[in-house]
Amino acid sequence: MSCLEIMPKLGLTMTEGMLAKWHKREGDKIEKGEILFEVETDKLTNEVEAKDNGIVRRILVEEGETVKCLAPVAIIAAENEDISNLLKEAGADEEGTSAEKSEEPEVQNAAEKAGIKDVVVIGGGPGGYIAAIRAAQLGNKVTLVENAELGGTCLNVGCIPTKTLLHSADVYCEIKDSRNLGIDVGEVSINWNNIQKRKKRITKRLVAGVKGLLAYNKVNIIKGFAKMETEKSILVTKEDGGTEKVAFDNAIISTGSLPFVPFIPGIGLEGVIDSTGALNLKSLPETIVIIGAGVIGVEFASLFSQLGKKVTILERLPFILAPIDREISNLIGDKLSKQGAVVNTGCKVTKIEKAGNGLKVDFDKGNESFSVEAEKVLVTIGRKANTEGLGLDKIGVRMEKDNVCVDDHMKTNISNIYAAGDCTGKNMLAHVASEQGVVAAENISGKDVKMDYKTVPFCVYTKPEIASVGLTEEQAVENGIEYETGIFLMGANGKAMISKEADGIIKIISDKKTEEILGVHIMAPGATDLITEGALALRLEATVDEIITTVHAHPTIGEAFKEAALAAQNRSLNSVN
């Protein structure tokens, strides 16, 4: 029995979908219920099952093509069955090509379409792809140029894969400690290969989701390296060596950043890795030295120490996690030490050299010299803007070192060229890049919006998590602000005790006279989710009293936020004032 396989309607608002992958090819046998193909919509990838048994006689839609819901995509029939009628029904010729694809809107000249612009976005990370989508939503014709994978550093070799590995480490620790939860289990071991496979699956699915979103918004994607030719055009060099010139009315530079490589003798030795190398290790090292204790370094220290590996941290500053409130950075330093990590601050790395089957790192601390040996050395000193080779100097874009200079509208000194994300050097966080991308796209489209950094949260995915927004206590002192602090210890919070993560605190910093909340700093389970309440408080210029008079559910981590606000008025109800 022959049948037409169609693009399914997977939701009330779905009108079309991109056929992401065929699981079967023409001539393959298939049984009813087997996965036939994958379809992408928004940020989801859905597997579609065959409706009948048979052979895939014709594939009518190629991978990557977008078609309307209920449009035919394949024909399944018996081996010698006549499928000519089905080909006609599908609107295909005898070769089986051409299904009903989504109609392209009528093309009009730019002059006939007031306000519609040709926009080029260079870079497909969280700044670039979001900028492209927003520009397209506003009616512009958008081309996105990306030299590597869509999603950028964050999605492919940064935020998402790192947090995936950290989650596996968290679960491993919980299972190991399950006896204290009243659960007896057998021996627990780490399957690093399977952890890596899960990381790749999640990354692949999210990258596919980005592709689907761009396709849905009719963004043209060109894979290649872009270089400025003029203020109105770029030249894209593709993988095969061919080039394509792309003209534009406006451009958004969003090329991200690269790991900063400091000058340390021996830094090029085998076994010295950056964060990308750490994410793709074939096996877990038993010993590792981490140079740099910013967010990346501390997260990797948390990961490897939770997995039972010997970690040594070397940090130049007298404290770890420089942007974080000092009280909390000290707490997480103590926590890492309890997990077995050795934390060295105020030290300078002088040399890396081979030592047996591993590496030796020499460093100075005060007037003394020390050394430590390990299988791997992870360098996480920081990141720098990825702008080399773009030709920005050729067209006169103002730069500071490698950073693209922009104003609060994300506009460069060239009136039709904007920039967003790490390449601006403003604040190297994925959510900042996305917001900057939106600001750039909206200003290109005639709106007047400015980037506001007041409510930008800062998150660290240790265990427990850390999150921060607004002024730290150190910054308040430095700026001469009269302030009050309200601190609540998570050891007095029922949900934190249940979760066995009672080591942290919530600290609220408020103006002494007005009680307006100036900063929120959290070390607690789910801190990276809870910080949104702090960011909203800053956005709305909320006072301590407005937090207090908001009813918080019990038992939750969130109620500790209210307790910290109460503590600012010296009237905490669940701790001693």
Side-chain angles (χ1 to χ4, degrees):
M1 183 78 181
S2 58
C3 70
L4 280 175
E5 292 287 348
I6 61 172
M7 175 62 67
K9 188 173 178 63
L10 299 168
L12 293 173
T13 59
M14 179 181 171
T15 58
E16 62 185 12
M18 185 181 79
L19 204 150
K21 179 181 178 181
W22 283 106
H23 283 248
K24 298 287 183 179
R25 299 294 175 186
E26 286 189 6
D28 288 352
K29 289 183 180 180
I30 190 165
E31 294 183 3
K32 183 178 179 180
E34 269 194 281
I35 304 301
L36 179 59
F37 62 92
E38 292 178 14
V39 58
E40 291 175 6
T41 62
D42 296 331
K43 282 201 169 186
L44 296 176
T45 301
N46 299 275
E47 294 178 335
V48 180
E49 299 174 353
K51 295 185 296 185
D52 213 336
N53 300 328
I55 292 173
V56 180
R57 293 285 300 279
R58 289 287 188 275
I59 286 179
L60 305 171
V61 176
E62 296 300 321
E63 290 180 353
E65 290 186 350
T66 300
V67 297
K68 285 184 176 180
C69 290
L70 310 183
V73 297
I75 295 173
I76 293 178
E79 188 171 0
N80 297 315
E81 191 173 355
D82 183 9
I83 60 171
S84 56
N85 287 335
L86 287 177
L87 286 170
K88 282 183 182 179
E89 187 180 338
D93 56 28
E94 289 298 322
E95 297 298 319
T97 59
S98 177
E100 183 187 358
K101 298 178 186 174
S102 54
E103 297 173 5
E104 291 295 323
E106 183 182 350
V107 179
Q108 295 173 296
N109 292 329
E112 296 173 328
K113 255 188 171 180
I116 304 305
K117 298 178 179 180
D118 285 314
V119 178
V120 162
V121 180
I122 303 175
Y129 88 77
I130 290 293
I133 288 170
R134 185 64 184 128
Q137 287 176 341
L138 292 167
N140 299 296
K141 184 180 177 184
V142 183
T143 297
L144 174 67
V145 182
E146 171 55 56
N147 190 41
E149 290 292 334
L150 291 170
T153 294
C154 174
L155 188 45
N156 292 282
V157 289
C159 318
I160 298 301
T162 306
K163 280 52 174 179
T164 303
L165 298 183
L166 281 163
H167 180 71
S168 292
D170 288 349
V171 173
Y172 171 71
C173 286
E174 287 184 17
I175 296 172
K176 276 183 66 180
D177 194 42
S178 62
R179 186 166 295 177
N180 290 322
L181 301 175
I183 302 169
D184 293 336
V185 298
E187 186 178 347
V188 183
S189 61
I190 302 159
N191 189 323
W192 183 248
N193 187 46
N194 284 344
I195 289 175
Q196 287 282 15
K197 284 181 181 177
R198 179 173 184 268
K199 178 201 76 177
K200 290 175 184 177
R201 283 198 305 272
I202 290 172
T203 299
K204 183 180 178 183
R205 183 162 184 172
L206 288 172
V207 169
V210 171
K211 290 178 183 176
L213 281 169
L214 291 167
Y216 179 81
N217 286 281
K218 305 284 190 293
V219 175
N220 177 40
I221 300 171
I222 301 175
K223 187 161 187 180
F225 187 87
K227 187 173 184 178
M228 289 290 177
E229 271 209 324
T230 70
E231 293 179 12
K232 291 280 189 175
S233 67
I234 59 171
L235 190 67
V236 181
T237 303
K238 301 181 181 180
E239 288 180 331
D240 61 4
T243 58
E244 180 177 350
K245 184 174 180 177
V246 181
F248 59 83
D249 298 310
N250 292 89
I252 302 174
I253 312 298
S254 189
T255 49
S257 62
L258 298 168
F260 174 73
V261 182
F263 177 73
I264 300 172
I267 201 164
L269 290 171
E270 185 180 352
V272 180
I273 56 176
D274 59 14
S275 57
T276 302
L279 286 170
N280 295 301
L281 287 167
K282 299 295 183 186
S283 60
L284 280 168
E286 291 301 317
T287 53
I288 187 166
V289 171
I290 299 176
I291 302 175
V295 175
I296 298 171
V298 167
E299 286 186 346
F300 274 109
S302 182
L303 170 68
F304 290 121
S305 61
Q306 282 190 86
L307 294 176
K309 309 309 173 186
K310 186 178 179 182
V311 176
T312 303
I313 298 172
L314 303 177
E315 168 57 47
R316 180 179 58 84
L317 294 173
F319 41 76
I320 66 172
L321 289 175
I324 292 292
D325 182 271
R326 197 64 55 240
E327 190 168 356
I328 288 180
S329 70
N330 290 338
L331 282 172
I332 201 64
D334 292 341
K335 181 74 173 181
L336 287 169
S337 296
K338 288 177 185 176
Q339 288 174 192
V342 178
V343 181
N344 293 286
T345 57
C347 57
K348 179 184 178 182
V349 176
T350 56
K351 185 171 60 174
I352 305 170
E353 59 187 351
K354 281 286 185 183
N357 294 325
L359 297 160
K360 185 178 74 155
V361 181
D362 295 336
F363 64 97
D364 294 338
K365 187 171 183 178
N367 296 321
E368 296 184 81
S369 295
F370 303 89
S371 65
V372 58
E373 294 187 11
E375 290 179 38
K376 300 287 183 184
V377 174
L378 169 58
V379 180
T380 61
I381 299 294
R383 299 183 68 84
K384 64 174 184 175
N386 179 26
T387 52
E388 187 177 348
L390 288 175
L392 297 175
D393 55 337
K394 178 181 178 182
I395 61 168
V397 173
R398 186 178 298 120
M399 309 282 288
E400 283 185 8
K401 296 183 178 179
D402 297 315
N403 301 322
V404 182
C405 297
V406 291
D407 60 18
D408 288 342
H409 291 83
M410 307 315 299
K411 184 186 289 187
T412 70
N413 61 305
I414 308 296
S415 62
N416 66 315
I417 296 177
Y418 293 69
D422 287 6
C423 68
T424 67
K426 290 283 187 183
N427 195 328
M428 292 188 176
L429 297 169
H431 43 284
V432 172
S434 295
E435 196 64 32
Q436 289 174 333
V438 169
V439 169
E442 291 188 349
N443 284 318
I444 283 171
S445 302
K447 297 179 182 291
D448 183 16
V449 292
K450 291 184 178 181
M451 184 67 198
D452 182 4
Y453 298 94
K454 178 182 177 182
T455 63
V456 172
F458 189 92
C459 302
V460 190
Y461 292 79
T462 48
K463 187 176 178 68
E465 293 179 346
I466 298 170
S468 174
V469 66
L471 292 180
T472 64
E473 195 167 350
E474 292 73 31
Q475 289 169 332
V477 170
E478 186 180 329
N479 292 319
I481 297 170
E482 291 190 51
Y483 68 94
E484 295 281 2
T485 60
I487 297 174
F488 185 76
L489 304 179
M490 296 311 296
N493 177 264
K495 187 68 179 293
M497 291 181 69
I498 291 166
S499 304
K500 289 185 64 60
E501 292 185 61
D503 295 332
I505 65 171
I506 294 184
K507 176 190 280 191
I508 292 177
I509 297 169
S510 58
D511 186 277
K512 191 168 186 176
K513 292 179 181 177
T514 66
E515 289 198 330
E516 180 184 340
I517 294 173
L518 305 174
V520 177
H521 310 282
I522 306 172
M523 177 178 164
T528 60
D529 298 309
L530 184 58
I531 197 61
T532 303
E533 182 174 353
L536 186 60
L538 265 67
R539 175 71 179 84
L540 299 177
E541 299 179 351
T543 64
V544 167
D545 193 60
E546 286 169 324
I547 298 298
I548 290 170
T549 54
T550 301
V551 178
H552 288 63
H554 171 79
T556 62
I557 301 298
E559 64 184 318
F561 196 102
K562 177 175 177 174
E563 286 288 343
L566 283 163
Q569 294 186 348
N570 204 35
R571 60 188 184 103
S572 179
L573 298 170
N574 286 284
S575 66
V576 177
N577 292 296

